[in-house]
Amino acid sequence: MLQPGVKGRPIDMNESQFERVLGNASRLAIVFVGFVVLLMALQAGQVFLAPVTLAIVIGLMFGPVADRLERWGVPPALSAGIVVLLLLGVIGGFGTLFAVPLSDWVARAPLIWEKLQQQIANLREPLQSISDFQAQIGSILGTGEAMSVTVEDGSAVTGMAMLAPAILAQIAIFLASLYFFVATRDHIRMSVLSMCVTRRMRWRTAHVFRDVEFKVSRFLLSVTMINICVGTAVTLAMWAIGMPSPLLWGAMAGVLNYVPYVGQAIMVTTLVAVGLGTQTNLVDILLPVICYASINFVEGQIFTPHFIGRTLTLNPFVIFLSITFWIWAWGPVGGLVAVPTLLIAQSIISHALPSKPVQPKRPVRRTKYMSDRDELLANAAQVIREKRHGDDNEQRKQERLEPPSGTAPSGIEPGGT
């Protein structure tokens, strides 16, 4: 629509710069408010949303197992029950690995704490220097009061008693959600597809379901196999160097490896603390950490890229942000669902907003010195050159079709009637 009297200029071009800025700012404000509301809803609904989300992720992981059982003639309700019992068996097995050696370490906890206090006492002189520096800063700023940390004495038994009902409720919600999701996943898929009004929307939605099930199940199953290998390798390494309770450290390494970056940091910190509390020699303190770091390095640089490199095509920085966000929102459960939720979001976005690959008509020939990044950039530059060449040809074609300057349009003689 054109505004009369302004030589065909659109109405939008007649708006003032302030109105356009104000409109963009209002849209950004709405997005920001919606994001804040989403964060508050995630934290407020943690008791319900966290176990349900974890149940969906685990259900996608065990989906192929349920499909195999149903192909053998097992009803969906029974196959879902078998999946739940299988998961409880796996958890029970890991609990057994943790229980026996963990009880030994709990019995040795007072001795380890006493040894840690002795190690901390050796740092008294550096801490005293920091305290003196703090006093000098306080005198310069006009305050002579030193910072103090007050630890309130609370009963651990009382805290556990307060948390027990919430934990049991989340476990019950998780198991019920897992059972009903696995048993009715086909009905859920058909219900969602029936709400799609166009054939193209149904096609994209069906591909989203397929990619989500394939990517999440393949990723979690591959990670589980890799973590079992990591736990076994850590167990053998700890046994070889004489570390007490090698099964405990292997089980911890395998479980914590489900949470990238954060799990490794927790494992290294735990090994350092145990080494300081049980050993006196620096080599004996650092040897378990070196063994674990070496195994984790080999796993991260060789096995993980080989088995799930094509499945997990995500930026490491995005993975780290997702892990920190979900841990902040839901705690340990958030760390477990961080990467699978990224895979789900990637599948949805890739089908909702499909993009054409950058491929020139004449691809660049790759040499042995070119990396994948160099080949991608070279092909992108070739696409730009081909597009520019095509635009130039189109412009020259239009110029040839236009009449010479100063002549009348074709078919009309100058001065004719």
Side-chain angles (χ1 to χ4, degrees):
M1 181 177 179
L2 302 179
Q3 185 179 7
V6 195
K7 296 183 179 179
R9 185 172 59 182
I11 294 178
D12 293 341
M13 296 297 293
N14 198 32
E15 294 181 357
S16 64
Q17 183 70 19
F18 176 75
E19 291 175 344
R20 289 196 294 270
V21 172
L22 188 62
N24 294 332
S26 63
R27 296 186 186 95
L28 291 176
I30 293 173
V31 173
F32 177 76
V33 171
F35 183 72
V36 173
V37 171
L38 176 62
L39 295 181
M40 296 177 63
L42 288 175
Q43 283 200 326
Q46 176 182 357
V47 177
F48 171 75
L49 294 177
V52 170
T53 305
L54 182 61
I56 293 174
V57 170
I58 300 299
L60 292 173
M61 174 182 174
F62 284 96
V65 178
D67 292 336
R68 179 64 61 87
L69 293 174
E70 292 174 9
R71 283 196 293 269
W72 291 345
V74 180
L78 183 57
S79 65
I82 294 174
V83 166
V84 174
L85 293 177
L86 179 62
L87 178 63
L88 291 177
V90 173
I91 295 175
F94 273 99
T96 303
L97 290 177
F98 275 107
V100 177
L102 189 59
S103 60
D104 297 336
W105 283 100
V106 170
R108 299 172 57 183
L111 297 176
I112 295 176
W113 176 244
E114 183 179 355
K115 186 68 178 296
L116 284 175
Q117 286 180 327
Q118 295 177 0
Q119 296 289 344
I120 294 174
N122 296 330
L123 302 176
R124 183 176 301 173
E125 183 176 352
L127 293 177
Q128 184 65 33
S129 302
I130 296 175
S131 179
D132 295 340
F133 178 73
Q134 174 193 342
Q136 295 177 3
I137 295 296
S139 62
I140 293 174
L141 298 177
T143 174
E145 298 180 357
M147 292 184 293
S148 61
V149 178
T150 304
V151 179
E152 296 182 358
D153 188 13
S155 175
V157 178
T158 304
M160 290 299 297
M162 296 293 291
L163 291 176
I167 295 175
L168 292 177
Q170 288 186 326
I171 293 175
I173 293 173
F174 166 73
L175 293 177
S177 301
L178 176 62
Y179 174 80
F180 287 111
F181 175 77
V182 175
T184 62
R185 65 191 187 282
D186 291 333
H187 297 283
I188 295 174
R189 183 187 297 109
M190 296 304 298
S191 300
V192 174
L193 291 176
S194 64
M195 292 187 293
C196 300
V197 295
T198 63
R199 182 178 179 181
R200 186 175 185 84
M201 186 181 297
R202 286 194 298 269
W203 181 83
R204 288 187 176 180
T205 305
H207 278 72
V208 167
F209 277 110
R210 183 199 63 185
D211 287 355
V212 165
E213 292 178 354
F214 175 76
K215 288 183 178 180
V216 174
S217 62
R218 180 180 176 183
F219 168 75
L220 290 178
L221 290 174
S222 301
V223 167
T224 300
M225 295 303 298
I226 291 174
N227 291 348
I228 291 175
C229 296
V230 169
T232 304
V234 171
T235 300
L236 294 176
M238 296 303 168
W239 173 78
I241 64 176
M243 187 75 172
S245 304
L247 285 176
L248 175 64
W249 308 119
M252 284 186 61
V255 173
L256 291 176
N257 211 43
Y258 278 100
V259 185
Y261 311 127
V262 178
Q264 288 82 0
I266 295 175
M267 187 67 185
V268 169
T269 304
T270 303
L271 290 177
V272 170
V274 171
L276 289 174
T278 57
Q279 305 293 335
T280 57
N281 190 6
L282 182 61
V283 176
D284 296 333
I285 294 174
L286 296 180
L287 187 58
V289 180
I290 294 174
C291 291
Y292 170 74
S294 301
I295 294 172
N296 189 260
F297 177 80
V298 173
E299 175 264 329
Q301 299 297 323
I302 299 177
F303 290 97
T304 298
H306 178 72
F307 286 102
I308 63 174
R310 296 181 180 179
T311 304
L312 186 60
T313 55
L314 298 173
N315 191 299
F317 180 67
V318 177
I319 296 175
F320 179 76
L321 288 182
S322 177
I323 292 172
T324 53
F325 169 76
W326 287 110
I327 289 178
W328 169 79
W330 291 347
V333 176
L336 295 175
V337 303
V339 179
T341 52
L342 271 183
L343 294 175
I344 294 172
Q346 183 192 37
S347 299
I348 295 174
I349 293 174
S350 62
H351 288 285
L353 302 173
S355 58
K356 296 181 179 179
V358 179
Q359 187 67 27
K361 297 178 180 178
R362 295 182 178 179
V364 177
R365 180 177 297 178
R366 180 169 180 173
T367 63
K368 62 179 181 179
Y369 300 104
M370 291 178 64
S371 62
D372 293 338
R373 180 175 178 272
D374 296 334
E375 183 181 7
L376 179 63
L377 293 177
N379 284 323
Q382 180 68 12
V383 169
I384 294 174
R385 286 192 295 267
E386 291 177 355
K387 182 67 169 57
R388 185 180 301 170
H389 182 69
D391 292 342
D392 293 340
N393 291 337
E394 186 67 24
Q395 183 178 0
R396 286 194 295 267
K397 183 178 179 181
Q398 292 294 334
E399 291 176 353
R400 287 195 300 267
L401 294 177
E402 291 179 357
S405 178
T407 61
S410 176
I412 301 178
E413 295 296 334
T417 56

